[in-house]
Amino acid sequence: METVPIIKIDEFLIVPVQIELNDEIMRNLQEKLVKLIKSLTPKGVLIDLSAVTMIDSFMARTIGNLASLSKLFDAKTVVVGIQPEIAITLVEMGVTLKNVTTALNVEKGMEMLRTNKNYENNNKIR
Amino acid sequence: MRTTIKSDKIPIKFENDIGLIRKYTREYSIEANFSLLDQTKIITAASELARNTFQYAKNGIATIELLKDEDKTGVSLFFKDEGPGIKDVNLAMQEGYSSISHLGSLGLGLPGAKRLVNEFYILSESGKGTEIKIIRWK
């Protein structure tokens, strides 16, 4: 089974999603990520979805759960790279990413995690 | 007059079948020349409904068709199962409805999926199963 890599950079975890997300992969990612957050206690987690071509409500919920779980371990989560077509589809379906802060790309996402700038505001708008 | 150009039947028995249905939907919608946005919409709707069928009915079948109607091309998916059925379809089609199952509170996502397609039909009876058809036209 393919897995999603989790990369540690300084006090952050980066999750570049390069494969199609099916249910099994999402569950394994959740399990792996929670274990790593617990053992490494990163300041933040950045999930890069720029290679993802479809997000349904289950995936959105799982991503939301990841963010909530990270929060429990005092780590902030930023999701970046959601493709416009996916964003439009999610909005039209009425699916919201609860507790999830988003940024346009990896650079902006990292900046958000490092400096805490815009992170709190982004969360409040939701 | 509506004609079917091609069609495939995909049983929904294993979790991987949800991804398989997405794959077929993508192929069909590319063949129908859908824009990327329309592809995304129908694939997402298909994924929602396929997952419902897998999670609640544990056994079902999806029929995908490439349709032609005059100069319109479309993709349709028909989900049929002999699962528990939906007790109150009207309630399920309302915003914010979610069914409580042993898996926790999970929405059926039907109103959401309906918004992503042009035609949406549902027939369901408690104890008898569910049939849902969605069509997206170019």
Side-chain angles (χ1 to χ4, degrees):
Chain A
M1 188 203 60
E2 297 173 274
T3 54
V4 177
I6 302 176
I7 303 162
K8 181 180 180 305
I9 297 183
D10 300 332
E11 324 120 286
F12 303 100
L13 292 178
I14 318 284
V15 187
V17 182
Q18 300 289 320
I19 55 176
E20 170 164 329
L21 291 171
N22 67 30
D23 295 26
E24 197 188 350
I25 290 172
M26 292 230 72
R27 273 199 304 272
N28 285 324
L29 174 61
Q30 192 168 309
E31 215 177 290
K32 207 163 82 172
L33 192 56
V34 167
K35 284 198 183 119
L36 282 174
I37 292 173
K38 185 160 180 251
S39 62
L40 299 173
T41 59
K43 257 172 69 177
V45 178
L46 184 135
I47 303 176
D48 181 8
L49 298 179
S50 45
V52 168
T53 56
M54 193 228 51
I55 298 175
D56 61 17
S57 66
F58 170 77
M59 294 168 190
R61 244 196 321 272
T62 308
I63 293 166
N65 288 343
L66 285 174
S68 301
L69 283 165
S70 312
K71 202 165 166 200
L72 283 175
F73 291 104
D74 222 13
K76 303 192 193 320
T77 306
V78 176
V79 170
V80 309
I82 297 179
Q83 294 304 300
E85 292 78 18
I86 295 177
I88 293 170
T89 302
L90 287 173
V91 167
E92 213 159 295
M93 266 203 294
V95 169
T96 56
L97 288 164
K98 286 211 168 78
N99 275 328
V100 173
T101 301
T102 54
L104 260 171
N105 53 43
V106 176
E107 288 78 16
K108 290 198 157 56
M110 285 309 295
E111 193 194 320
M112 229 186 237
L113 287 175
R114 280 189 208 283
T115 64
N116 219 1
K117 187 168 94 166
N118 292 330
Y119 183 88
E120 293 302 326
N121 282 339
N122 202 320
N123 253 319
K124 282 202 188 94
I125 290 166
R126 262 151 236 294
Chain B
M1 198 198 67
R2 219 168 262 194
T3 52
T4 302
I5 299 175
K6 75 175 201 179
S7 116
D8 277 289
K9 274 187 170 21
I10 306 140
I12 302 171
K13 223 172 156 183
F14 305 103
E15 198 165 57
N16 283 338
D17 294 330
I18 302 171
L20 187 61
I21 286 168
R22 285 198 290 264
K23 184 163 168 282
Y24 270 92
T25 310
R26 187 174 291 286
E27 283 168 16
Y28 271 63
S29 56
I30 287 172
E31 203 169 327
N33 267 318
F34 282 9
S35 67
L36 186 56
L37 178 58
D38 284 348
Q39 283 177 42
T40 308
K41 286 184 184 180
I42 183 105
I43 293 165
T44 308
S47 191
E48 294 287 327
L49 297 177
R51 182 172 286 111
N52 275 353
T53 306
F54 172 72
Q55 272 178 345
Y56 294 101
K58 300 287 181 281
N59 209 336
I61 189 152
T63 307
I64 184 168
E65 290 182 312
L66 184 61
L67 302 174
K68 198 144 181 101
D69 189 344
E70 314 271 312
D71 53 345
K72 280 197 306 184
T73 325
V75 175
S76 85
L77 283 119
F78 177 62
F79 296 88
K80 183 181 163 72
D81 67 68
E82 275 150 38
I86 301 166
K87 220 186 289 189
D88 190 334
V89 173
N90 285 323
L91 188 62
M93 291 306 301
Q94 273 170 39
E95 302 294 346
Y97 172 77
S98 62
S99 70
I100 315 281
S101 70
H102 69 283
L103 297 161
S105 176
L106 292 170
L108 286 176
L110 295 179
K114 184 179 178 185
R115 276 198 291 276
L116 297 178
V117 298
N118 302 117
E119 294 179 44
F120 183 100
Y121 307 98
I122 178 167
L123 193 66
S124 185
E125 205 178 316
S126 190
K128 293 221 175 116
T130 305
E131 291 179 9
I132 298 180
K133 185 166 194 166
I134 56 173
I135 308 178
R136 174 115 211 146
W137 296 99
K138 174 165 165 67

